[in-house]
Amino acid sequence: MTTIHVAGAAPYDVEVGHGVVERLADLVGDVRRVALVHAPGTTVPLPGYDVLDLEVPDGEAAKTAAVVADCWERLGAAGFTRSDAVVTVGGGATTDLGGFVAATWLRGVRVVHVPTSLLGMVDAAVGGKTGIDTGAGKNLVGSFHEPAGVLCDLSYLRTLPSRELVSGLAEVVKCGFVADPEILALVEKDPSAALDPASEVLAELVERSVRVKAEVVGVDLRETGGTDRHPGREVLNYGHTLGHAVEKVSGYSLRHGEAVSVGMAYVAELARLAGMLDDETAGRHAAVLGSLGLPTSWSGASFDDLLAVMRVDKKARGATLRFVVLEGLARPVVLSDPSEELLRSAYEAVS
Ligand code: GLY
């Protein structure tokens, strides 16, 4: 088991390892009641607690105002107090939703996340972002509410569908390019080990990715900006500006990580064409992502359609379109409003 500390105003630990869910009671602490927000088929043992079972729909279908309102009603009917705690168990959508319920009930109660997907472990459950979707898009309503702890039990990955595991690896590779190149070296050395849920390689990849995320959010929880040398939490959006647009325009037929993979191949090309990134590092993107079975090209929509979606995405700021790009390995910077010609040429290279 490895413990990764997340610093900040409300510090907490993330435990990574096989069987760490056994530590749940230690993290939930001395409360009487637990509201267990979980996807169908995923629960955890909570002996000795009075458990309020809040089963929610699987996946993104949980992230609606109606599901939140239903949880609030059930917490109200049960007389759930500030001295009680929420536990979330499931993929990134479940921890986002359950985190939001915990953030809003009585203006915030204790929450412990038990992510069961790779995406949940390396991204969604760490860093305090919670939220739900609206008709206009994903994650448009939410808040920052840091958990009391996160348990990344790698045993859950053994039953994760392979497409989900591969999709989650896109966020792992992202951490490699923006902060920890050893992640890239580990994948390059043995991509099949990275895809093996029982391997020590995957365990190390999860630990390293959580460490990257912990360091970033420990400095810039609210994504208000980092330091002179680092753009802050926004670096976690590497590949996401185009990725979100691809995800949306594809009608969510691409998994999040698949779309982000295309988005990373795109920003690598964008940085290369802008004269910011060398050919070798740019080309390494498609090689590493491709070795894991992730897509690095996509031609499901015209560039104009994608540009229109990117302009209204929440990752744009006002009228400014922003892309996290690299000036070198682990040297992320923000590129604001590149020319349309450059944006279009980079898309031609990945479509
Ligand atoms: N998923 C990006 C972030 O947590 O900021």
Side-chain angles (χ1 to χ4, degrees), residues 123-124 126-127 129 171 174 213 217 223 233 236-237 240:
D123 194 24
V126 181
K129 276 189 182 175
E171 299 284 0
K174 174 194 81 179
K213 180 138 196 190
V217 302
E223 209 170 311
R233 186 166 186 159
L236 300 174
N237 294 339
H240 283 59

Side-chain angles (χ1 to χ4, degrees), residues 103-322:
T104 47
W105 183 251
L106 301 178
R107 298 197 181 90
V109 296
R110 185 176 179 84
V111 62
V112 175
H113 295 307
V114 184
T116 58
S117 70
L118 183 56
L119 180 78
M121 292 180 193
V122 300
D123 194 24
V126 181
K129 276 189 182 175
T130 74
I132 56 169
D133 307 330
T134 77
K138 281 171 72 173
N139 297 322
L140 292 178
V141 176
S143 69
F144 291 96
H145 184 62
E146 288 156 291
V150 181
L151 294 171
C152 299
D153 192 327
L154 300 169
S155 307
Y156 288 115
L157 300 182
R158 291 172 198 247
T159 50
L160 195 65
S162 144
R163 191 173 170 196
E164 293 292 328
L165 188 78
V166 171
S167 176
L169 281 167
E171 299 284 0
V172 170
V173 171
K174 174 194 81 179
C175 293
F177 278 109
V178 300
D180 179 5
E182 182 57 27
I183 288 176
L184 306 178
L186 283 166
V187 174
E188 285 165 338
K189 194 169 161 209
D190 193 352
S192 58
L195 291 160
D196 175 359
S199 73
E200 283 181 17
V201 171
L202 185 58
E204 183 171 352
L205 290 171
V206 173
E207 284 167 24
R208 284 182 174 272
S209 303
V210 170
R211 204 162 269 130
V212 168
K213 180 138 196 190
E215 277 167 18
V216 170
V217 302
V219 173
D220 181 25
L221 175 72
R222 288 176 181 267
E223 209 170 311
T224 47
T227 59
D228 286 350
R229 289 158 166 228
H230 196 277
R233 186 166 186 159
E234 198 175 1
V235 300
L236 300 174
N237 294 339
Y238 190 57
H240 283 59
T241 308
L242 185 91
H244 273 169
V246 164
E247 208 182 348
K248 193 166 183 182
V249 170
S250 78
Y252 298 97
S253 62
L254 262 72
R255 312 293 306 155
H256 176 72
E258 293 165 348
V260 166
S261 177
V262 174
M264 284 192 278
Y266 176 76
V267 282
E269 194 55 26
L270 189 63
R272 193 184 70 78
L273 291 173
M276 301 169 78
L277 188 63
D278 60 278
D279 293 354
E280 192 192 331
T281 311
R284 207 171 168 191
H285 286 70
V288 175
L289 293 163
S291 76
L292 295 168
L294 282 159
T296 53
S297 65
W298 188 73
S299 50
S302 71
F303 175 71
D304 292 316
D305 285 348
L306 289 171
L307 185 60
V309 173
M310 285 195 282
R311 289 206 188 283
V312 296
D313 190 77
K314 70 182 189 331
K315 304 227 178 296
R317 288 196 188 163
T320 310
L321 207 48
R322 294 166 71 86

Side-chain angles (χ1 to χ4, degrees), residues 37 56 86-88 93-103 111 113 130-131 145:
V37 178
V56 295
V86 172
V87 170
T88 73
T94 313
T95 58
D96 278 2
L97 170 274
F100 187 62
V101 170
V111 62
H113 295 307
T130 74
H145 184 62

Side-chain angles (χ1 to χ4, degrees), residues 37-40 54-58 62 67 71 74 94 97:
V37 178
H38 67 101
L54 297 181
E55 182 175 300
V56 295
D58 201 18
V67 172
C71 289
R74 289 158 75 187
T94 313
L97 170 274

Side-chain angles (χ1 to χ4, degrees), residues 13-43:
D13 288 339
V14 181
E15 315 276 6
V16 182
H18 290 274
V20 294
V21 74
E22 300 300 329
R23 292 220 44 225
L24 184 56
D26 297 340
L27 270 68
V28 170
D30 191 17
V31 302
R32 190 170 63 84
R33 260 186 320 182
V34 170
L36 181 61
V37 178
H38 67 101
T42 48
T43 59

